Amino acid sequence: MNRPNLAKFDPELEELIELEEKRQEDGLLMIPSENLASPAVLEAAGTVLTNKYAEGYPQKRYYTGNQYIDKIEQLAIDRAKELFCAEHANVQPHAGSQANLACYFALLQPGDTIMAMNLAHGGHLTHGHPVSLSGKLFKFVHYGVRQDTEMLDMDEVEKLALEIKPKMILSGFTAHPRAVPFSRFAEIAKKAGAYAMADMSHIAGLVVGGVHESPVPTHDVVMTTTTKTLRGPRSAVILCKEQYAKQIDKSVFPGMQGGPLEHIIAAKAVCFKEAMTDEYKEYQKQVAKNAKALAYTLMADGLRLVSGGTDTHLMIIDCTNLEFSGKQGADILAECNIYTNFNMIPFDTRKPADPSGIRLGTPALTARGMKEKEMQIVGQLIADLLKNHSEEQKNMTKQAVTELVKSFDDK
Ligand code: DSN
């Protein structure tokens, strides 16, 4: 990217940005929550819209001079509604954590009970972990996967819901590789008299691509981050039924946030437009196909994946029977420019800072144009390196990664 003013005024910072650009180009970016935003998304995010204060909503601002900002935010709202077939969209949440909290505060009172997935089984910090504000302000009861299958047992989820009668049931995961049974979650919420909320942050792109069920028709409120599979800027959006629109809007502003980041809202609008194209839908299908191919190669090479595979864009390697932890494994891979993240696995006996799993996925590699053939190569490189991480093997892997990514330059 050309940044002549930054390069002139702050060469130190410019150099660091260039190094990060190179790291992203030269490596295999396999952290499943990361992706490559398009140049158009990046351009929209780097505009003078950052100069504008626009507290409030289109046509109801607390500042003057918002005639163009209103149109930009309305474009983002309209596109989000069309893309996800939603009755109402709020495009202002700065990020997923704020969006989640805004949803809780819109529909519940502090102290109310919410049912959500256990963090170690694939939930999220803001799904009620005690260290997060969510867990401090609301009473969370966590469901999890079965120990034998590492899959959700929806009859157990239903039993728990009917027993504890939560005010809200939250579905959607960050580190569970299987499809989320959204309609079943919605049915259970209805039976239990609870709000149905979905956090589809990881899989929103797959939903748009038609490779994962959408929670929007069946849930009261749905939020998603706009990065990850969706491939937009780092931010979030809330979708809900019209009957909750006022509560959600009030909860985001003035409840949770002040001035919206209109440059990022513009970048979200670009992302939503991109997501309406056939090319984007093909990309999402390829993300899922690549994940299956990668999982197959890793398992064929003797690695154990949590739940025995994936239905989505991500998978988790269980390092329990390897000679290192998930963190050490992720560090070994990173030394060879293969970027993944260490992660808890269900029923992990290790600690979150040094857990047993390595989480990896295919969104960014697919964005570079890689297909099943390359997933076999990448899977083989990872499996070989995790089995033998001698210096010689590391050098061979680094070389192979360089050659592979080079062949995808400019694609
Ligand atoms: N940090 C995100 C992830 O990696 O899944 C979730 O917020």
Side-chain angles (χ1 to χ4, degrees):
M1 224 177 177
N2 197 9
R3 289 175 295 267
N5 296 296
L6 184 60
K8 191 164 168 214
F9 176 72
D10 197 341
E12 186 186 2
L13 183 65
E14 170 62 19
E15 191 192 347
L16 289 170
I17 295 173
E18 282 173 18
L19 287 170
E20 173 59 14
E21 279 173 348
K22 189 161 162 42
R23 185 194 70 82
Q24 293 190 16
E25 274 165 30
D26 291 351
L28 295 175
L29 306 186
M30 300 187 74
I31 294 171
S33 46
E34 294 181 355
N35 208 337
L36 306 180
S38 72
V41 165
L42 297 179
E43 281 173 14
T47 54
V48 294
L49 304 182
T50 195
N51 297 341
K52 191 69 196 98
Y53 256 111
E55 282 180 13
Y57 288 100
Q59 317 304 332
K60 284 173 268 169
R61 305 286 188 183
Y62 290 84
Y63 293 78
T64 58
N66 276 306
Q67 58 270 43
Y68 304 117
I69 295 289
D70 276 0
K71 288 198 166 82
I72 289 165
E73 188 168 332
Q74 195 59 51
L75 208 53
I77 293 168
D78 292 343
R79 288 179 184 172
K81 283 167 64 177
E82 184 183 342
L83 184 65
F84 292 105
C85 302
E87 291 177 17
H88 180 74
N90 185 307
V91 296
Q92 291 194 0
H94 299 332
S97 299
Q98 287 89 336
N100 274 336
L101 283 169
C103 293
Y104 307 152
F105 278 107
L107 302 175
L108 308 174
Q109 293 300 317
D112 280 351
T113 303
I114 308 176
M115 254 177 74
M117 180 79 129
N118 182 326
L119 179 69
H121 295 210
H124 188 254
L125 277 174
T126 58
H127 296 180
H129 194 278
V131 300
S132 137
L133 205 53
S134 61
K136 292 185 199 298
L137 294 175
F138 296 92
K139 181 168 177 260
F140 274 81
V141 175
H142 288 111
Y143 54 83
V145 296
R146 284 173 62 118
Q147 193 152 13
D148 52 352
T149 58
E150 294 170 319
M151 303 267 200
L152 280 171
D153 179 337
M154 293 307 291
D155 292 339
E156 283 300 315
V157 174
E158 177 167 340
K159 209 166 116 199
L160 185 63
L162 297 179
E163 193 185 301
I164 66 162
K165 295 266 177 203
K167 289 264 170 64
M168 174 183 276
I169 299 181
L170 171 57
S171 56
F173 318 121
T174 67
H176 178 60
R178 297 297 176 173
V180 191
F182 282 129
S183 341
R184 183 77 199 276
F185 269 109
E187 264 171 46
I188 295 173
K190 201 165 180 195
K191 256 192 191 172
Y195 289 112
M197 171 177 165
D199 174 344
M200 63 167 176
S201 296
H202 262 268
I203 52 166
L206 300 180
V207 165
V208 173
V211 281
H212 194 294
E213 177 192 359
S214 171
V216 175
T218 50
H219 283 60
D220 298 303
V221 57
V222 176
M223 58 68 63
T224 179
T225 49
T226 46
T227 171
K228 304 189 175 76
T229 50
L230 201 54
R231 222 176 143 181
R234 294 293 303 270
S235 194
V237 56
I238 300 174
L239 309 162
C240 68
K241 301 278 181 240
E242 192 56 46
Q243 71 188 107
Y244 305 118
K246 279 208 174 90
Q247 283 154 271
I248 289 288
D249 286 353
K250 263 169 104 174
S251 188
V252 173
F253 172 83
M256 198 76 203
Q257 299 180 172
L261 310 177
E262 294 294 345
H263 54 307
I264 300 300
I265 289 175
K268 284 184 250 194
V270 177
C271 161
F272 300 148
K273 185 169 181 182
E274 288 174 347
M276 288 176 199
T277 62
D278 290 343
E279 191 188 346
Y280 181 91
K281 292 185 177 83
E282 279 313 306
Y283 159 74
Q284 295 296 345
K285 290 188 175 77
Q286 193 62 49
V287 167
K289 283 195 238 169
N290 281 356
K292 285 248 185 278
L294 179 65
Y296 181 82
T297 309
L298 294 172
M299 290 189 295
D301 263 299
L303 293 172
R304 195 187 89 76
L305 298 187
V306 168
S307 83
T310 180
D311 300 326
T312 61
H313 61 302
L314 72 84
M315 63 212 72
I316 301 167
I317 301 171
D318 176 6
C319 299
T320 307
N321 293 323
L322 302 177
E323 57 195 54
F324 42 75
S325 68
K327 173 166 175 15
Q328 288 163 327
D331 286 343
I332 291 167
L333 292 169
E335 271 184 67
C336 301
N337 301 336
I338 301 174
Y339 300 101
T340 61
N341 71 279
F342 48 94
N343 213 98
M344 296 285 274
I345 60 170
F347 308 98
D348 209 329
T349 51
R350 303 183 65 92
K351 299 262 179 295
D354 190 18
S356 301
I358 300 175
R359 188 182 67 150
L360 67 170
T362 53
L365 297 192
T366 312
R368 282 196 83 165
M370 295 190 193
K371 298 218 159 89
E372 288 95 325
K373 189 169 129 246
E374 285 77 29
M375 293 306 109
Q376 284 169 13
I377 298 171
V378 171
Q380 191 72 55
L381 288 175
I382 292 173
D384 288 348
L385 187 62
L386 292 181
K387 279 188 226 148
N388 165 16
H389 41 281
S390 62
E391 284 310 307
E392 191 191 351
Q393 185 70 29
K394 282 185 193 165
N395 287 335
M396 273 165 48
T397 310
K398 247 189 247 173
Q399 183 62 31
V401 168
T402 304
E403 276 164 26
L404 180 63
V405 295
K406 235 195 229 153
S407 65
F408 283 86
D409 274 355
D410 306 322
K411 281 192 182 162

